[in-house]
Structures are given as structure tokens and as C-alpha cells.
Amino acid sequence: TEKPTALIMIFGATGDLAKRKLFPSLYRLYKRGKLSDRYAIIGVARRELTNDAFQKSVKTSIQAAIKDCDDLDSFVSHFYYHSHDVTDSSSYLSLKTMANDLDQHYQLDGNRIFYLAMAPEFFGTIAEHLKSDGLTEVSGFKRLVIEKPFGHDLESAKELNNQLRQAFSEDEVYRIDHYLGKEMVQNIEVIRFANAIFEPLWNNRYISNIQITSSEVLGVEERGRYYETSGALRDMVQNHMLQMVALLAMEPPIRLNTEEIRAEKVKVFRAMNMLEGEAVKENFVRGQYGRGTVDGVDVPAYREEQMVNPESNTETFVAGKLSIDTFRWKGVPFYIRTGKKMAAKSTKIVIQFKDIPMNLYYQTEKTLNPNLLVIHIQPEEGITLYLNAQKAGENVETTPVKLNFANSGIDGNTPEAYERLLYDCMRGDATNFTHWDEVSLSWSFVDKISEVWENTKAENFPNYEAGSMGPRKADELLEKDGFFWWPVD
Ligand code: BG6
């Protein structure tokens, strides 16, 4: 394995993401032997902390995430802390001195990764200071890793991008979409492009529709303030859902490299039929949860959550029908749905194949189930293929059979999204990060929908019960086309 060398500065090192994802992921890389000894981490955040106290908190967060960890002391000995004011140049200058010292001490070849894991309003300011205060003058590589949200709409995303691009070139910007780090999301391409039984069928002649569901049980928890300005459309659709659509719909790349794959994904976004005005109402459904029962517990409505406007118009659920206007996909609806406080935490993709030309057999009422390919993204990882076989002892009656593959990795523990993405960034592989072209096109699509939603109050909110699978309208969206959401397991 390649063992990259770098100094990683994590801005927002006392925050939730750093503790829950970044520290444990770095530790896993270390345990798997993917980090050389030449690494150092600087935790950057506002509060005052000694290196010692910081290392302790890193240890605690790793222990909370991973059972049985050893070697922790030697791992965290490479962690340092810098108390920082993001708007103050002198703060950056002392950070620079610290960085240069560590660079020398650990022989990091002048490689630097700046990871912004904090409130988005500071992204631009930090990038500007990194440049003006000289932190980006390095002898090795410099990379900026940036968490979502990447803007609030196209205009603000452009503004942010311009700010970042003053200090970093496009190929030095690593925009995180953590769904792209998920094992089974990465597997979409492999399933499509490495299997002779799927590749020829992957088009409008054989596929009738595609359904992507990402449901969550959690509500907005303490994120009410952010969520009120975002809603499910910006929070999940603009990024994760559309990225999955792109991977399902893209043409085979001529080569498996970053540029080729991105170019194919960008083409999908360009071919997506833009919805405006009335078309938004016909093809997109918004929902907001009311009170209900989740896992046997009574829960409040969205409008009763902390930091949420009691008359909030914010959607906590979205379902939509997308069309991709290409030779391959014309006529095949891509249905997506995602929401908070739903019945289960689950992300799944169902590919429904067209019916065979003539039905000789029957299951119930002379209909035959179509073939389905289900890609289980989470919590289980795997693939199920639904076929029809003869029902034992009968000759005209069939029964659906399931071919199941459960992905369990080599040691029963597939790497986490953040672990892969951090490693990719350290190696300089940007394939599973989003290019500006993808971000801007997906915002253009989403902006048209939010425009309509922001200008018309949803009269029927709340319109789904917490613990359900969303509003009735989301079912009607498919019923209009003669389909339904497959309840697959
Ligand atoms: C994040 C959203 O991007 O994705 C959250 O901001 C959401 O609201 C989360 O809960 C879902 O991610 P996952 O990996 O749990 O499906």
C-alpha cells in the first residue's frame, strides 16, 4: 500500500464531525498500516486547549467509536492543538510557525491538507487567510477539504467557490460528499461495468424505472437552526441523492480515472430535465413530519423541535421524479425520496426491469413480478436480485426467488466513508469528491424547485406522521405512472 505523508490541519477540531468521524477514521488508517510514521495533525479551533488535553479528547473520541483500540498513545502523539481566531492574521502566523516546525520534525515533505470541518460561513475567510498569511506556500502539495453545505444555492456556491479558488486551484479542492465514500455507492459502477448480465440491460429498453430511497429515523436533533435554512432538498437531494442518480445513469467512462468519470457524471447533470413552475408541482412532493411514534416512542412534530419556527414551511421530506434526456434514459423515470423521522434508517436503490413480452405463468392474479435488482447501501451492504422460479410442485405457478449477496468486507468490517475519503485525499485521488461543475449543475436544478416551494406556502404541513414512509402524495407520484415504491428487504 501507498503510505502518504502529510500535515493535516483540521479546522473545527473540537466539533462533532472531527470527534465522530475524522479522528476514528485516521486511527483506522493508522491501524491498517495506511499511514506512514510521517504524519502530523493539528487540531484547530477557537477554545484554549493544551496539546495534552487535545490528545486526551482525541483518545476519548476514538474509544467511543471503536472497541478494542490499542497503540492509541503512539497514534495520538502526532496530534497537536492550535487555539485559533479565524479572522485574525496573527493567529494564522503562529499556526504557520507550528506547521513549519512539524513539517521539519516529521519530515512531511511540505505536504499540507487543510480540512474545514466547521461552520460554512467561515470557509471563504479561512481560505483567504491561508493564502494571504502564507500557509499555502508549501514545497509539497496543498489540498483543501471542504465539508457541506457548499453554498445555499447556486449564487452563494459561486461566491464561495470564487473565494476558495483565490487560494486553491480546482484540482486542489476536495469537496466532500460522504455518500461517495460509501462502499456500496462506489460499487454501483462496478456492478454496472463489470457484469455482462447487467451492462447490456442498463437502458430504457430493459429498465422500467429506478427508485432511490434514503430514509432516516432521526429528526433534526440539535441542528434546527441550520435545517430551517436548508430543508431536505438542500440537505440531501442537491448532493447525496443526485450523486447516486449520476452514478446510476452515467455512460461507461473510457478509463477509470478522475477526469473521465467526472466528465461522464457531469453529462448526466446536463441531461437532467430542468423542472420549472408547474412541472415542479407535478414531479416533486414535499413533506414535513407531524407527531408520531418512532420505535415505540411518541415523538413531537417538526414544528415543535428546538430552534424551529412553529409555523415552519421547511420540508423534512422530498420525493421527486427525474428524467434524463439521453438516448439511454429517455422514458425511464428516476424516483428519489428522502426524509427525516421515517420508519427506518435505510438507503436502497431498486432497479425495476421491464416486464417480459408475454406472460405464460402467474403468481397472483396472473401477474408476474418483474425482476428487480436491489442495491443495499446501508445499513446492510449488498445486492439482491429478484427472479421468478417455478413454485415447487406446481407447473404454471411461479414464486419469486431472491439471490442475495451480503458484502462483509475482508475482515467483516468495511472501511467507513470518511476513512476512504481521507485516504483518497492524502493520495491525491479526487474521483470520489465533487467537481465544481457537478455542484453548480445540481444547484441549478435544485434552485428551480426551492424557488417554487419558497414562494408557495405548503398548506397541508405537517403531512406525514413521524415513523411513516412519508406523505401519501409521494406514493401517488409513482401510481400516476403505474408503479409503486417497492417495499424490499
Ligand atoms: C448529511 C445530512 O449530509 O447526511 C444529514 O446533513 C443526514 O442531515 C446525513 O442525516 C445522512 O448521512 P448518512 O450517512 O447517515 O446516511
Side-chain angles (χ1 to χ4, degrees), residues 213-452:
T213 301
S214 194
S215 58
E216 294 190 77
V217 173
L218 290 181
V220 288
E221 317 306 303
E222 314 78 41
R223 296 162 77 222
R225 189 204 304 271
Y226 151 76
Y227 202 82
E228 275 287 272
T229 64
S230 154
L233 185 67
R234 294 189 173 93
D235 189 50
M236 292 291 291
V237 175
Q238 180 269 334
N239 38 52
H240 313 319
M241 302 302 281
L242 292 184
Q243 283 293 326
M244 288 190 279
V245 169
L247 292 169
L248 288 160
M250 68 191 255
E251 293 299 312
I254 55 170
R255 225 165 266 119
L256 272 190
N257 64 28
T258 311
E259 289 69 42
E260 298 301 343
I261 293 173
R262 279 173 164 177
E264 296 306 339
K265 285 168 69 190
V266 167
K267 262 165 61 188
V268 174
F269 290 119
R270 289 172 51 203
M272 234 159 46
N273 182 23
M274 288 278 179
L275 302 169
E276 283 181 60
E278 275 308 300
V280 170
K281 294 184 185 148
E282 275 158 34
N283 294 287
F284 267 74
V285 173
R286 56 179 156 165
Q288 188 191 75
Y289 60 85
R291 295 180 182 176
T293 320
V294 179
D295 290 335
V297 180
D298 289 343
V299 299
Y302 176 68
R303 289 177 176 180
E304 296 165 328
E305 303 273 14
Q306 284 170 46
M307 321 276 257
V308 169
N309 178 346
E311 286 169 42
S312 175
N313 199 37
T314 302
E315 80 287 353
T316 60
F317 174 99
V318 176
K321 172 181 170 181
L322 309 172
S323 320
I324 296 162
D325 294 342
T326 59
F327 264 59
R328 184 187 288 271
W329 292 118
K330 189 81 191 169
V332 180
F334 282 68
Y335 301 107
I336 57 172
R337 76 178 154 164
T338 182
K340 300 274 184 203
K341 281 268 155 75
M342 292 173 66
K345 169 78 183 167
S346 156
T347 305
K348 282 189 177 64
I349 299 168
V350 180
I351 291 107
Q352 177 177 344
F353 291 90
K354 286 194 169 163
D355 291 338
I356 46 174
M358 190 175 117
N359 189 0
L360 297 169
Y361 304 94
Y362 66 90
Q363 258 151 15
T364 30
E365 294 161 9
K366 303 230 180 231
T367 61
L368 205 55
N369 270 351
N371 292 132
L372 304 177
L373 171 67
V374 183
I375 304 176
H376 306 264
I377 309 282
Q378 62 188 22
E380 332 72 54
E381 297 183 338
I383 310 167
T384 310
L385 186 59
Y386 285 77
L387 305 172
N388 293 308
Q390 176 168 290
K391 192 165 183 176
E394 307 278 342
N395 55 16
V396 291
E397 206 172 329
T398 66
T399 185
V401 296
K402 276 164 62 172
L403 298 188
N404 242 325
F405 161 70
N407 188 38
S408 52
I410 302 163
D411 45 10
N413 153 24
T414 61
E416 279 214 36
Y418 274 96
E419 184 183 338
R420 288 162 190 289
L421 295 175
L422 275 163
Y423 187 57
D424 283 354
C425 173
M426 293 179 82
R427 290 184 306 135
D429 182 347
T431 312
N432 291 311
F433 294 82
T434 45
H435 188 274
W436 168 245
D437 293 345
E438 299 170 61
V439 174
S440 63
L441 287 162
S442 55
W443 273 127
S444 320
F445 179 79
V446 157
D447 280 356
K448 295 273 183 233
I449 300 167
S450 23
E451 219 169 88
V452 174

Side-chain angles (χ1 to χ4, degrees), residues 144-180:
L144 179 76
V145 185
I146 183 160
E147 279 290 336
K148 59 168 289 213
F150 199 93
H152 173 78
D153 52 18
L154 180 59
E155 207 179 288
S156 54
K158 267 190 187 152
E159 203 174 299
L160 170 60
N161 201 48
N162 290 339
Q163 278 177 306
L164 303 181
R165 294 292 305 278
Q166 306 290 318
F168 297 89
S169 65
E170 173 62 31
D171 61 5
E172 291 170 333
V173 181
Y174 287 67
R175 297 178 193 80
I176 294 257
D177 183 315
H178 77 285
Y179 268 57
L180 296 180

